[in-house]
Amino acid sequence: LDDPMAKARYPQIRGQFLSMMTTLGDDDARQQLTKISQGQTPEAVEAQGALLMTRWIQGGKDAAVQQKVVDEFKSIVKAHPDNAGLASIAMEMAQTNPATSDIQAALLKVLQEEAKGPQAMQMADMLQAQLKIKDMENKPLAIKGTTYDGHPFDSSQWKGKVILVDFWATWCHPCLEELPHVKKAYATYHDKGLEIVGVSSDEAAPKLKKFLDENPDMPWPELFDAKSAAAGSWHSLAEQFGIRSIPTMFLIDKKGILRSVGAVENYQDEIPRLLMEQ
């Protein structure tokens, strides 16, 4: 811990570790975390939030438990609006088995109305985008655009098909790491009714074309928005849907209903299930 950066990070890492161990039922970790939380220092305040996070997780998807945690969390944030660690804890809660979208909205309200500072604003923006995307689920959706080689595209043409929409880019390392699994899904299920459309946020069409030429096992359409690329922005569809990270994947069922906006987590399991639906 002679390194200044290590010293600065140590309290946060210790808090995360103790929170994890407390969640797993370690009494010694809970005692240590409780002791740290008794005070008004930034570390103590974050420990208070970490204790609430353990209650959130241990309570499962119980809306009453989560709402009580949110209420107590709001009081802590109100008293310490500039604590950046609390903003991160709010985001973690919102992404960890929230019982309802109303609970997520309540956490967003805490960030927007009580927290201050750039990190809180960033977390609020990300959470607001996630809620916007989540609200699209179980509603009709057609993906429309232009392919990288200038052809119009409309997913409505794939009636009766299960559609995987892959928001990605060739510069995105996590996207490239996921790509072999996407290719495997296409090879396995295309003949059974799966279609894929890529929505690329690449900077230039020639770079995308070169990549696709080198990957002939990606025969699905790839949408590209030259205007957005020239402006240094992601594809206009990604901007329209409020996507803040890639890869992001949507799954649309045979009836054209958007069934999942978080398909990147489980598309390999969900595709065969949706293909079995009538």
Side-chain angles (χ1 to χ4, degrees):
L1 293 177
D2 290 335
D3 181 86
M5 291 186 65
K7 284 184 178 181
R9 292 189 61 198
Y10 172 71
Q12 180 184 14
I13 294 173
R14 178 175 66 169
Q16 291 172 344
F17 173 74
L18 291 176
S19 177
M20 184 192 310
M21 295 304 295
T22 300
T23 302
L24 294 172
D26 187 281
D27 289 335
D28 183 60
R30 178 179 291 278
Q31 291 175 16
Q32 290 187 55
L33 194 58
T34 301
K35 184 177 180 180
I36 295 171
S37 72
Q38 296 170 353
Q40 298 299 315
T41 66
E43 184 182 5
V45 172
E46 289 179 24
Q48 294 167 25
L51 285 169
L52 287 177
M53 183 70 206
T54 63
R55 283 172 49 194
W56 176 283
I57 296 174
Q58 291 174 339
K61 298 186 71 169
D62 187 314
V65 171
Q66 291 185 356
Q67 186 59 58
K68 189 172 181 179
V69 168
V70 171
D71 292 341
E72 293 182 36
F73 185 75
K74 178 180 178 180
S75 297
I76 297 174
V77 176
K78 190 171 184 177
H80 305 277
D82 295 315
N83 190 299
L86 291 178
S88 297
I89 291 172
M91 193 65 181
E92 189 176 354
M93 286 181 184
Q95 294 178 325
T96 307
N97 292 326
T100 66
S101 58
D102 288 341
I103 296 291
Q104 286 182 304
L107 283 167
L108 174 60
K109 190 174 181 180
V110 170
L111 286 173
Q112 291 176 327
E113 297 183 357
E114 308 296 345
K116 297 179 181 178
Q119 186 162 349
M121 293 177 60
Q122 181 184 22
M123 295 298 175
D125 181 60
M126 290 175 62
L127 181 52
Q128 190 169 33
Q130 289 179 7
L131 289 173
K132 176 184 175 182
I133 295 175
K134 193 69 176 176
D135 189 55
M136 294 167 55
E137 286 186 341
N138 301 313
K139 298 175 183 177
L141 178 69
I143 301 296
K144 300 179 182 180
T146 304
T147 62
Y148 72 96
D149 50 358
H151 297 290
F153 173 84
D154 185 343
S155 65
S156 300
Q157 65 185 304
W158 285 336
K159 291 183 179 179
K161 302 285 189 177
V162 172
I163 304 170
L164 179 68
V165 187
D166 184 13
F167 295 86
W168 74 297
T170 61
W171 48 258
C172 167
H173 292 292
C175 300
L176 299 184
E177 290 174 358
E178 192 62 38
L179 191 54
H181 304 293
V182 178
K183 292 178 177 180
K184 183 178 179 181
Y186 186 85
T188 303
Y189 297 111
H190 177 60
D191 290 343
K192 298 178 177 64
L194 172 69
E195 298 288 354
I196 296 178
V197 56
V199 182
S200 170
S201 289
D202 274 277
E203 299 97 337
K207 182 178 180 180
L208 176 60
K209 181 181 184 305
K210 181 176 183 295
F211 184 90
L212 295 175
D213 288 343
E214 295 169 351
N215 290 268
D217 50 350
M218 295 174 63
W220 53 83
E222 289 290 350
L223 305 189
F224 178 78
D225 188 332
K227 186 176 180 180
S228 294
S233 302
W234 286 9
H235 195 287
S236 54
L237 287 176
E239 298 287 346
Q240 174 186 334
F241 297 141
I243 291 172
R244 293 293 183 270
S245 64
I246 52 176
T248 288
M249 297 182 186
F250 291 176
L251 264 176
I252 301 173
D253 68 15
K254 295 178 180 180
K255 297 179 180 179
I257 304 299
L258 177 60
R259 297 289 289 274
S260 174
V261 296
V264 69
E265 298 176 0
N266 59 0
Y267 66 95
Q268 297 177 73
D269 296 324
E270 287 298 299
I271 286 172
R273 188 179 69 79
L274 291 179
L275 286 171
M276 292 178 63
E277 293 183 352
Q278 298 300 317

